[in-house]
Amino acid sequence: MSSHNHDIQASHKILQLIERSKRESDSFLDTIPGIFAVINAEGDILRGNTSLADYMEVDQERLLYKNLNSVFQKEEWELFKLEIDALDSKEKGFVDFELSMTSPKGASSPHLWYLSIFDEEKTGERMFTVVGKDISDLKEAQQNLIEIFSSVPLGILTIGEGGAIQGEFSKYLEVIMGTNDIHEKKIQDFMFSEFKEITKQNQESLDGLVDAIGQNKLIYEIISEGLPKKVKIDTVGEVKWLRINYQSISYNDIVRKILLIVEDITSLVKAEELKKQNSLLEEKSVARIVQLKKVDPETFRLLFDEFNELFQKLKKAEESVYLGGVKNYLHGIKGCARVAGLDFLAELTHECESNVKENEDLISKNSDGATLTNLIFPVIEEWNELNDLSRALFQSSGTENEPSGNEKKIEDSFKGLFDQYNQLLVDEKDLHVNLMIRKVLIGMESLTKDALSSLEKFVTDTVESTCASLDKQVDLHLDWDGIYADRSTIKILKDCLLHLITNSIDHGIETSEERKLSGKTDQGNIYILVTNDISNLKVKFWDDGAGVNIERVRNIAIDKNLVTLEKGNSLNDNEVIQLIFTEGLSSAETISMTSGRGVGLSAVKEEIENLNGTIFATNYDNTLRVDVDIPLGIDQNEEKGLVDYNEFMDDFALEIKNLNSSSRGIDIEIDTALQVSSKESTFFAMKEMLLFALIELIDVYAENSKETLFISEQNSMISMRVKVSNTKNIEKYILDTCSLYLSKHSGKYQIIDNVLCIDFGFLNKKVKE
Amino acid sequence: MTEVENVLIQIARDASVKRLESHSGIGDLESIDMESGYNRKVHANWMSIILVSGLDVRITFKLYFNCIDVKEVVQKSMGTAVDDVTNEFTMDFIKEFCNLTAGMIQKNLATQGFHVGISLLMVTRGFDDIFYEPSSSGEVSDLWKIKIAGVSIICSATLNVINAKNLELLTLNDVAEEEDDGEIDFL
């Protein structure tokens, strides 16, 4: 072969390689994923790959001079052509855009297009490279994400350089922020400026957050520590609480974007606040219950009506914007609360008093009822709460005037029995049987009576609590042993003592320092002596305090229009002192933590007078003394027991005689003075009972000895001495049978050296004319 | 177009028709002009290109075809099923045809005393034709279509007459088949 032929072969070989290389390159273009085409200005396909041919459902060789518009809807093709036209104006030489393609079967799929100018200089003709990527999956994923975004109740957004909100954000963000104008907004204006009540550190971190974009992520890490995680915003007039999570999106350690996840936690915050409020309310309720539990139920029942009365008067004064009344009644409520041990109510009322005083001018000038109402509302509300609680706590006791259900049944049963026995008493003529019936009646009657000593705890507690609140020291002296009274009387007495004690400690007895200066003992003293005669319970109450300041009381009464000026100046000292029982009089001129009650004593006086009793105050030896007489009522038995004195002694002597002659071997001697007593005609109360008691006492308990039973009478009091063998049984006997009698008649007994001495007290009752 | 160029074009056309006819064995074919106003830049998916060149003239002969169409011709020529005709076989068919056409042109000129050589053949994408730049301003091109077996194969001849004077006596010389000895002088 000639060299010429060798050259030819070599060239042929090269050509083959080039051809193959070209073929591979073309094949590469043909098989690239997505659509590739070169089109002319009219859209004719000059070169297209297999993907395009597949989409157009033609053989790839048939693509030539098919028009690309066949894969677009008419309107879409117009948009495509616009993009082609716009290519010239693009500095970067290409455009990218989204536009859907439509297959011959009508199926539309979103595509991302990339258009560029194809080497016009070399080709001499305007041609374009077209690359299209099916983004159906991406769109579906995006749509799914959007759906998730829409459904998840979170505001999800990203911010990029400059703090602009970029890309997609969750639909719920619009709900949170109350606007749909979000895209491309600056986060500083859109959200951060809405944050309320954030700290300085939070604000500085927010300011630095946007600057952190484009910086190393370490800078973001440092800033993120100070970012607010829980903020309050006020959008479209609605206050919301948001919880915000921040997350940087970094590439190569450089923060490109920041993701914010915003959660509306308003309902959670409100629930927490409500829970907190409820806890506080519960604590308050618990505190109230604890306080109420500490309160003596009797005390509270006693004060209950007074509280109610005071609050009713307070409300009326409030309605009529009567400031004087409001202040008085608040003062009274505070006092009651203090006595009852309701510290919270007392403090609240004190605070209310201060507020009313501060706003006094405003309320007076403008007759501003609304302000007054608002000021006293907390006290009223507190009382309402206490009222409800107290009813629940003290429910079984009922009101102070009405016994509980069980007690009522017992009382009704008793009354029935009483009536039966009383009828028997009338019918029974036999002395001994009569005495036995009386004994039963006395026993029954004793069940409805209480000893006055049952009030001891109450008065002691009252003194203690009042002293504690006023920082005073007072000793209490009680003398009421053996005194009994029915429950209604005891209730009245309780009420009376309560007010007397508190007034005494508050206004009468001085502080320790004041007492020292006056040469008195540090501790003040209160004395309560209770006695009774046949018809009255007599209470003497006095203290060793400063007594009543006559002129001060007079002036206060005049200032408060309780008496006219003329009348006030005309009253004598005793008359002035009686003014302390007038409603509205309180010597407390300034509002302080002491209690000054202007309604208590007047109410007590009213109660006592309603029972035909009396209450009288005097300045006795420069101290206040109050005398109270409470009628006991006439006992039926006493009615029946009224006998003549001389008749009694005749009967008594006869009984003694019978005893002396009995096998008991007792020699009883009666004071002859008794026998010859010729008193004016008087009546014995319960003659038979006394006789029975005496006879039985002698019969059962007198020693078998010839000891003289000495019965004497002095100052209308009969006493008896008898030597007894069993002192224990004697006491029991006396308690069972004679205690009622003794209590009614100021009688008493004592046992000394086995000798019983009974002083039967007042036996006389003057006949009513 | 000058007389010489006209003759040269005719020689090329004549060669393409005769060679296709003999190569395919299909007698029913015709050479027709392109449609009036035809101005496409890309004529078919594939292009076969060969150069016939001498001292006085250069002729670039191109065939533009689609395999899918040529398969019809090949199938008919070979008497096989269309599915049995591969793209490679089709390519070979065209290459052979192109070579034969170039050979006939060479023969024709040689018998008239003009010695030219033939380049190696190359097949490439029809799209690559848009990058073709005329080598000189004197180039003349002709484009025709051979219709055969219901399909069309587009041919083009681009002439670059270097010495027109020498070619004045050139005529359309009808070269008989039997005169074709099958030898091809390569450039």
Side-chain angles (χ1 to χ4, degrees), chain A residues 459-626:
Chain A
V459 295
T460 307
D461 288 347
T462 303
V463 169
E464 275 178 18
S465 62
T466 312
C467 283
S469 68
L470 296 169
D471 196 25
K472 289 183 181 176
Q473 297 171 49
V474 173
D475 268 342
L476 180 63
H477 306 271
L478 300 171
D479 187 357
W480 53 20
D481 288 341
I483 306 296
Y484 283 74
D486 57 44
R487 290 191 180 125
S488 59
T489 305
I490 288 193
K491 187 254 173 199
I492 292 167
L493 183 62
K494 194 176 182 182
D495 203 11
C496 180
L497 289 176
L498 168 70
H499 295 300
L500 288 173
I501 288 170
T502 52
N503 273 280
S504 169
I505 297 175
D506 191 12
H507 301 292
I509 294 177
E510 312 92 328
T511 61
S512 298
E513 289 73 26
E514 286 168 340
R515 289 180 67 83
K516 271 185 203 168
L517 288 172
S518 309
K520 294 181 181 177
T521 56
D522 288 359
Q523 280 186 254
N525 293 283
I526 286 177
Y527 302 89
I528 300 174
L529 170 65
V530 182
T531 58
N532 65 340
D533 58 16
I534 292 172
S535 52
N536 287 309
L537 194 72
K538 290 180 180 299
V539 180
K540 284 185 176 37
F541 178 99
W542 71 99
D543 59 40
D544 65 349
V548 174
N549 186 323
I550 303 292
E551 290 314 308
R552 193 169 172 221
V553 170
R554 190 197 309 273
N555 291 334
I556 289 170
I558 291 170
D559 286 346
K560 293 195 173 185
N561 294 319
L562 299 173
V563 290
T564 61
L565 176 64
E566 195 183 337
K567 173 78 176 170
N569 287 331
S570 70
L571 294 171
N572 63 32
D573 287 0
N574 265 340
E575 286 169 332
V576 170
I577 293 173
Q578 304 323 306
L579 287 174
I580 67 172
F581 297 114
T582 307
E583 184 180 338
L585 185 98
S586 170
S587 62
E589 290 179 338
T590 59
I591 294 171
S592 69
M593 282 303 286
T594 61
S595 61
R597 304 167 70 243
V599 294
L601 285 176
S602 64
V604 166
K605 184 169 186 268
E606 195 179 324
E607 267 187 333
I608 291 170
E609 286 176 352
N610 283 343
L611 296 173
N612 296 318
T614 58
I615 181 166
F616 193 78
T618 51
N619 251 357
Y620 183 79
D621 195 19
N622 290 327
T623 64
L624 175 69
R625 171 169 156 163
V626 176

Side-chain angles (χ1 to χ4, degrees), chain A residues 4 8 11-12 15 18-19 22-23 26-27 30 38 46-47 59-62 64-65 118-119 122-123 125 127, chain B residues 39-46 65-69 95 120-125 127-128 130-131 133 186-187:
Chain A
H4 182 69
I8 297 291
S11 297
H12 186 68
L15 207 59
I18 292 170
E19 213 177 83
K22 181 71 172 54
R23 196 162 51 240
D26 286 335
S27 173
D30 282 341
V38 177
L46 303 177
R47 177 84 160 86
D59 191 90
Q60 190 185 359
E61 290 188 333
R62 295 286 183 234
L64 190 60
Y65 282 97
F118 186 85
D119 213 347
K122 285 191 181 156
T123 62
E125 187 175 333
M127 288 188 285
Chain B
N39 62 350
R40 289 185 175 184
K41 290 280 184 191
V42 180
H43 306 294
N45 277 286
W46 298 98
F65 64 97
N66 296 320
C67 282
I68 196 169
D69 295 330
K95 284 178 183 176
L120 293 168
L121 175 83
M122 193 173 82
V123 173
T124 185
R125 290 292 177 125
F127 180 77
D128 295 339
I130 63 171
F131 297 110
E133 289 176 9
F186 291 102
L187 291 171

Side-chain angles (χ1 to χ4, degrees), chain A residues 38-235:
Chain A
V38 177
I39 61 171
N40 61 15
E42 285 73 36
D44 297 322
I45 298 169
L46 303 177
R47 177 84 160 86
N49 66 349
T50 52
S51 291
L52 178 58
D54 291 342
Y55 199 90
M56 293 177 77
E57 296 176 10
V58 295
D59 191 90
Q60 190 185 359
E61 290 188 333
R62 295 286 183 234
L63 282 175
L64 190 60
Y65 282 97
K66 272 207 176 300
N67 201 286
L68 195 61
N69 68 5
S70 63
V71 295
F72 291 100
Q73 302 281 359
K74 183 184 168 193
E75 292 77 17
E76 287 161 344
W77 178 244
E78 294 300 320
L79 293 169
F80 196 97
K81 283 203 300 184
L82 279 175
E83 295 292 344
I84 293 174
D85 294 339
L87 262 175
D88 288 329
S89 61
K90 299 290 180 191
E91 285 179 8
K92 52 188 178 180
F94 66 89
V95 292
D96 50 356
F97 57 94
E98 283 184 31
L99 198 62
S100 291
M101 266 177 85
T102 308
S103 70
K105 289 195 176 78
S108 181
S109 53
H111 275 70
L112 176 66
W113 298 101
Y114 180 95
L115 286 182
S116 64
I117 297 173
F118 186 85
D119 213 347
E120 190 173 351
E121 276 186 31
K122 285 191 181 156
T123 62
E125 187 175 333
R126 200 164 166 73
M127 288 188 285
F128 308 94
T129 307
V130 177
V131 177
K133 169 82 179 131
D134 188 341
I135 55 171
S136 303
D137 291 343
L138 187 65
K139 282 290 185 188
E140 191 180 333
Q142 195 177 41
Q143 184 59 32
N144 288 340
L145 206 58
I146 289 171
E147 281 173 8
I148 292 170
F149 265 17
S150 301
S151 60
V152 70
L154 292 173
I156 304 173
L157 66 150
T158 54
I159 56 172
E161 212 166 308
I165 297 172
Q166 294 181 344
E168 296 294 334
F169 49 85
S170 67
K171 195 76 178 165
Y172 201 74
L173 185 62
E174 295 175 3
V175 173
I176 291 174
M177 300 307 296
T179 176
N180 55 10
D181 184 17
I182 295 174
H183 191 61
E184 294 292 334
K185 286 282 182 196
K186 296 280 186 190
I187 193 69
Q188 300 93 317
D189 302 324
F190 174 72
M191 184 181 283
F192 294 169
S193 64
E194 302 290 339
F195 291 175
K196 308 288 178 203
E197 301 169 8
I198 58 173
T199 65
K200 190 179 170 197
Q201 187 197 15
N202 287 160
Q203 188 59 57
E204 285 172 359
S205 293
L206 285 172
D207 292 341
L209 181 67
V210 173
D211 294 336
I213 298 172
Q215 304 291 326
N216 191 288
K217 69 178 182 183
L218 281 173
I219 296 175
Y220 166 79
E221 299 291 335
I222 294 166
I223 288 172
S224 65
E225 290 292 317
L227 289 169
K229 308 295 189 301
K230 181 178 167 185
V231 297
K232 184 170 146 184
I233 64 167
D234 187 346
T235 61

